Amino acid sequence: MKLCKRVVIKVGTSTVTHSTGKLNLLRMETLAREIADLQSSGREVCLISSGAVGAGVGKINFPDRPKTLPEKQALAAIGQGRLVHMYEKFFSEYGKTVAQVLLTRDVFSNRLRYLHARHTLSTLFDFGVIPIINENDTVAVDEIKFGDNDTLSAMLACLIDADLLIILSDIDGLFSDDPRINPEARLLPLVEEVSKDLLARSRTKGSKLSSGGMFTKLAAARIVMTSGIPMIIANNKEPNILRRLLDGEELGTLFVPSGSPVQARKQWIAFGSSPHGRIVIDDGAAEAIRKRGKSLLPSGIVKVEGKFSRGEVVSIVDQDEVEIARGMVNFSSDEIGIIAGHHTDEIEKLLGSTDYDEVVHRNNLALV
């Protein structure tokens, strides 16, 4: 932990707001002081903060959790400015400058925008500025309806090549079972694999004003672990939590990354990109991709779904409809429909010309 220089810190709605929806100013001030101290020690810190919708609820005394999309977007618009204004006030007391960065999913799905965002954040670090990041809830329909800042924090950690992701919440970490239901549930201090069974047992929601829960935190852990980045879930109510974690104190749950991190390009293909279609493959092709690291050849393709062009990212699924990989295709959907099931030496005859033998080369293919 002491060697981690670039750190992403994500705080949930329960950290920065009271149950009433009003901003928790004491918690925000404490958080700003701790992050300012981390930066003064020579670290680069990026803060991802939920709470815009909750702050909007508190600002206009909205009676309950918003239910419709227009309500959520309007409350996010009201609350986001208030949220950042308070952060700016608290950080300035410690001589720190902050920058608001609002992101949408298309930043991660478009390679050029992805690189621009990476360069912008890197420059902010060079300037000694602390980026405060949130999803642009007012326009990001999918985020408000289905998404969460846990996933955003994981994708951002990959984007900037972070050394550590810390998710602060109102829980002590990952438990063997839901401690609110099972008093015998025990805290898991170390997790080396986020299994399907673990995900299935963790489909819980957070507070009434949040959009996440333990399931989304585990999904975030899978992303960063694959990319070689450790992640910690810890309780925001612990005093001096950030300094204690980065001093190596064993608090919360540490998710240990895999030994072979995915390359940055494959990170983008696997987690940043939005698939433009699907390719269904047979069992032989699925095994070759999963276990032997092979390219996808036309002979293993069963069918194509959707319309896409050369160079776009597609989802590769097996015959049980399980996504096993994403890849950047060398042929359009129409061309793949023609050569599907055929051997590579038949491509030129079927299409009139050929530039590639592989539909997706293994260098442009990432397991998910």
Side-chain angles (χ1 to χ4, degrees):
M1 294 298 108
K2 291 181 179 179
L3 296 176
C4 294
K5 182 182 179 183
R6 182 170 289 183
V7 183
V8 174
I9 299 166
K10 182 265 176 179
V11 293
T13 300
S14 61
T15 299
V16 296
T17 62
H18 293 288
S19 58
T20 59
K22 304 270 188 189
L23 288 176
N24 189 327
L25 301 180
L26 177 61
R27 194 78 54 77
M28 290 179 69
E29 194 275 336
T30 302
L31 182 66
R33 184 179 69 247
E34 288 194 59
I35 291 176
D37 189 56
L38 289 181
Q39 196 204 45
S40 295
S41 71
R43 292 184 170 93
E44 297 172 335
V45 186
C46 181
L47 173 63
I48 297 180
S49 179
S50 300
V53 173
V57 167
K59 178 67 175 176
I60 63 171
N61 295 316
F62 198 78
D64 198 1
R65 179 185 173 92
K67 297 179 177 60
T68 68
L69 182 60
E71 286 178 349
K72 293 173 184 177
Q73 290 179 317
L75 289 167
I78 295 167
Q80 181 62 36
R82 188 160 180 260
L83 184 71
V84 173
H85 171 72
M86 295 310 302
Y87 274 127
E88 189 169 31
K89 177 179 178 354
F90 289 132
F91 275 106
S92 66
E93 292 177 359
Y94 300 98
K96 301 300 180 183
T97 301
V98 299
Q100 176 179 255
V101 180
L102 297 178
L103 298 175
T104 50
R105 180 73 191 214
D106 61 351
V107 169
F108 295 92
S109 62
N110 181 288
R111 181 66 175 171
L112 186 59
R113 293 180 186 176
Y114 183 90
L115 294 173
H116 279 314
R118 181 183 173 96
H119 295 153
T120 298
L121 289 166
S122 179
T123 304
L124 288 173
F125 289 136
D126 291 341
F127 288 167
V129 172
I130 299 172
I132 298 178
I133 296 173
N134 197 0
E135 175 79 17
N136 193 345
D137 290 333
T138 304
V139 298
V141 177
D142 288 343
E143 161 57 22
I144 291 181
K145 195 172 183 180
F146 304 111
D148 59 274
N149 272 352
D150 293 324
T151 302
L152 173 60
S153 67
M155 294 174 69
L156 187 95
C158 297
L159 174 76
I160 64 173
D161 296 325
D163 299 313
L164 175 66
L165 169 61
I166 299 174
I167 293 183
L168 297 181
S169 188
D170 55 358
I171 52 175
D172 292 330
L174 176 66
F175 285 79
S176 57
D177 199 358
D178 190 339
R180 295 173 296 186
I181 300 173
N182 181 4
E184 301 297 319
R186 57 187 178 85
L187 179 68
L188 303 177
L190 191 71
V191 174
E192 296 179 321
E193 180 188 6
V194 180
S195 63
K196 291 182 179 179
D197 178 62
L198 194 60
L199 283 168
R201 289 189 285 110
S202 302
R203 292 185 177 274
T204 58
K205 281 285 293 179
S207 69
K208 68 176 184 176
L209 292 173
S210 70
S211 59
M214 185 51 68
F215 177 80
T216 61
K217 291 172 178 57
L218 292 178
R222 293 185 87 175
I223 294 174
V224 293
M225 290 168 73
T226 303
S227 303
I229 302 170
M231 183 182 107
I232 296 175
I233 299 175
N235 198 321
N236 63 72
K237 295 179 182 177
E238 285 284 342
N240 300 314
I241 181 64
L242 295 177
R243 179 183 57 77
R244 292 165 66 191
L245 287 174
L246 288 163
D247 280 345
E249 188 172 341
E250 295 184 7
L251 296 167
T253 300
L254 171 63
F255 295 82
V256 182
S258 63
S260 302
V262 178
Q263 301 170 15
R265 178 179 176 81
K266 291 196 174 185
Q267 286 179 7
W268 174 74
I269 291 173
F271 305 120
S273 60
S274 295
H276 291 81
R278 296 204 315 172
I279 297 177
V280 182
I281 61 176
D282 61 29
D283 293 338
E287 184 178 7
I289 290 173
R290 275 194 186 115
K291 298 182 179 180
R292 301 201 299 275
K294 297 294 185 179
S295 301
L296 174 59
L297 302 177
S299 57
I301 296 175
V302 177
K303 64 178 179 178
V304 184
E305 299 176 355
K307 298 287 288 185
F308 50 84
S309 305
R310 292 188 182 198
E312 292 188 317
V313 174
V314 300
S315 174
I316 300 170
V317 303
D318 62 22
Q319 290 183 283
D320 293 325
E321 300 291 312
V322 175
E323 184 180 39
I324 64 169
R326 291 183 184 179
M328 195 177 296
V329 290
N330 291 327
F331 299 90
S332 69
S333 53
D334 292 337
E335 291 170 330
I336 296 174
I338 295 171
I339 63 176
H342 293 273
H343 293 287
T344 54
D345 56 11
E346 299 177 83
I347 294 177
E348 185 171 2
K349 178 182 177 182
L350 291 167
L351 298 181
S353 64
T354 181
D355 296 319
Y356 305 95
D357 290 335
E358 309 88 357
V359 173
V360 179
H361 192 276
R362 62 185 180 184
N363 291 342
N364 293 324
L365 189 150
L367 295 176
V368 297

